[in-house]
């Protein structure tokens, strides 16, 4: 937090206004289930959430919570999703990506229906990436499902999403892995960023004899590690769940990821509360 922001924070407190809190939820596939644990612990400690920005799966979790403000319901849905549900989403097309996306949208609609951004109880910005110029493309209006789908379009695995203006969009994590600066721009005083990619290189990969697929994933994780580290530089609080080598596609680790989010947030609670002078 800059000196000017600290002074503004103190003035707000003097006037009886609490600081506004923004949550930046990073991309990371199944590792993003840790975001649920983070929100659970913030709620438990009465830390308000006034704005959310999310990339990829972080956008899905953020929008789910913002729609209902019921993190227990979000957790239940997350834990109920089965492998069979996800395997049924495959609609192969080797020319553009393994998953075309129509089934993905139907899957998301089964949870979000026809909800719009205006229906959310907390403002949300969804980060995607313009695959024609590599720049972030932020969505905060219209239907939720197309925006969330676009933010999850992983290159090679999925088709890029063609947006209404003709722009082709890919996964938000390709340009902004953890949208801390986007969250700051939403008019908040305190930015809490959740980086689920920080712990991958805490130890050497267990399988040093990696095959070509593992080498490719390791390279992607290396890119994500450095991008996320850069993205959180201006956050006031950075929460980094201990997820180790947890794979972004492994649903079997959901509960473990949620618990890791809770533990990592609890470690930061004292510091978060100090920003409120609690």
């Amino acid at each position: 937090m800059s000196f000017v922001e600290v002074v503004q924070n103190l003035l707000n407190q003097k006037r009886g206004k609490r600081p506004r809190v923004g949550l930046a939820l990073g991309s990371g596939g199944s590792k993003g289930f840790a975001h649920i644990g983070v929100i659970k612990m913030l709620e438990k400690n009465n830390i308000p959430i006034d704005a959310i920005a999310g990339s990829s799966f972080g956008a899905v979790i953020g929008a789910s919570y913002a729609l209902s403000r019921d993190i227990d319901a979000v957790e239940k849905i997350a834990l109920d999703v089965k492998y069979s549900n996800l395997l049924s989403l495959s609609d192969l097309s080797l020319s553009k990506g393994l998953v075309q996306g129509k089934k993905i949208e139907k899957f998301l609609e089964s949870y979000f229906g026809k909800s719009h951004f205006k229906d959310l109880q907390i403002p949300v910005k969804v980060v995607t990436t313009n695959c024609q110029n590599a720049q972030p493309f932020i969505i905060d209006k219209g239907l939720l499902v197309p925006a969330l789908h676009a933010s999850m379009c992983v290159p090679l695995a999925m088709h890029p999403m063609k947006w209404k203006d003709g722009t082709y969009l890919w996964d938000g994590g390709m340009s902004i892995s953890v949208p801390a600066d986007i969250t700051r721009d939403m008019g908040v005083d305190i930015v809490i960023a959740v980086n689920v990619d920080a712990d991958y290189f805490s130890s050497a990969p267990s399988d040093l004899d990696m095959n070509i697929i593992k080498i490719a994933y390791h390279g992607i994780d290396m890119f994500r590690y450095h991008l996320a580290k850069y993205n959180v530089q201006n956050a006031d609080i950075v929460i980094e769940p201990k997820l180790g080598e947890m794979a972004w596609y492994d649903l079997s680790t959901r509960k473990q990821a949620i618990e890791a989010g809770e533990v990592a947030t609890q470690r930061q609670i004292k510091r978060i509360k100090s920003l409120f002078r609690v």
Side-chain angles (χ1 to χ4, degrees):
M1 186 178 291
S2 69
F3 175 74
V4 172
E5 289 166 335
V6 169
V7 171
Q8 185 61 55
N9 202 349
L10 291 172
L11 287 173
N12 285 339
Q13 290 171 30
K14 190 172 181 182
R15 295 172 188 146
K17 294 181 182 178
R18 67 164 178 80
R20 286 172 49 79
V21 179
L23 198 55
L25 302 181
S27 59
S30 292
K31 293 188 287 185
F33 285 110
H35 297 316
I36 295 174
V38 172
I39 296 171
K40 283 176 67 177
M41 197 53 61
L42 292 176
E43 275 200 348
K44 183 178 179 180
N45 287 274
N46 300 311
I47 305 299
I49 300 172
D50 301 293
I52 300 173
S55 284
S56 197
F57 197 60
V60 175
I61 298 297
S64 299
Y65 176 66
L67 187 61
S68 66
R69 272 193 182 267
D70 186 345
I71 195 59
D72 292 330
V74 174
E75 180 179 25
K76 184 178 185 309
I77 291 170
L79 294 177
D80 283 347
V81 175
K82 296 179 174 58
Y83 275 109
S84 57
N85 296 127
L86 296 182
L87 289 174
S88 69
L89 302 180
S90 297
D91 39 0
L92 302 182
S93 169
L94 296 179
S95 65
K96 295 182 180 178
L98 295 180
V99 180
Q100 296 181 51
K102 292 179 181 177
K103 291 184 179 180
I104 290 278
E105 291 216 354
K106 286 184 180 177
F107 178 75
L108 289 171
E109 282 177 359
S110 69
Y111 295 102
F112 290 97
K114 297 296 183 181
S115 298
H116 287 68
F117 279 87
K118 65 183 179 182
D119 299 319
L120 299 176
Q121 298 185 53
I122 302 170
V124 169
K125 287 186 181 291
V126 171
V127 180
T128 71
T129 302
N130 182 329
C131 62
Q132 291 153 299
N133 63 16
Q135 295 303 304
F137 188 97
I138 312 302
I139 306 173
D140 59 4
K141 292 181 178 64
L143 286 166
L144 274 172
V145 167
L148 298 177
H149 174 197
S151 191
M152 294 170 63
C153 286
V154 181
L156 295 181
M158 297 177 67
H159 283 209
M161 156 79 79
K162 186 176 182 180
W163 203 242
K164 8 183 138 162
D165 64 354
T167 304
Y168 283 90
L169 303 177
W170 256 335
D171 191 291
M174 299 300 294
S175 55
I176 302 180
S177 182
V178 188
D181 288 342
I182 302 298
T183 308
R184 179 79 69 193
D185 291 342
M186 296 175 78
V188 299
D189 305 298
I190 298 169
V191 173
I192 300 174
V194 186
N195 178 7
V196 297
D197 285 315
D199 192 48
Y200 183 83
F201 291 95
S202 60
S203 59
S206 57
D207 186 358
L208 296 178
D209 239 352
M210 295 186 287
N211 59 37
I212 190 167
I213 299 298
K214 288 184 179 178
I215 289 171
Y217 281 142
H218 190 65
I220 292 170
D221 284 324
M222 192 175 293
F223 156 76
R224 295 173 53 80
Y225 172 83
H226 286 290
L227 180 59
K229 190 175 180 182
Y230 172 78
N231 288 158
V232 300
Q233 287 182 109
N234 296 322
D236 302 299
I237 299 287
V238 181
I239 296 174
E240 299 179 338
K242 294 292 182 183
L243 300 170
E245 296 175 43
M246 187 179 292
W248 62 268
Y249 51 83
D250 188 358
L251 283 178
S252 69
T253 57
R254 283 172 287 181
K255 192 170 183 183
Q256 179 185 340
I258 292 171
E259 291 171 354
E262 292 181 54
V263 171
T265 307
Q266 185 57 47
R267 290 199 190 102
Q268 296 271 25
I269 285 298
K270 187 175 180 181
R271 190 159 166 243
I272 295 171
K273 287 186 174 182
S274 73
L275 296 178
F276 288 85
R277 302 291 182 188
V278 177

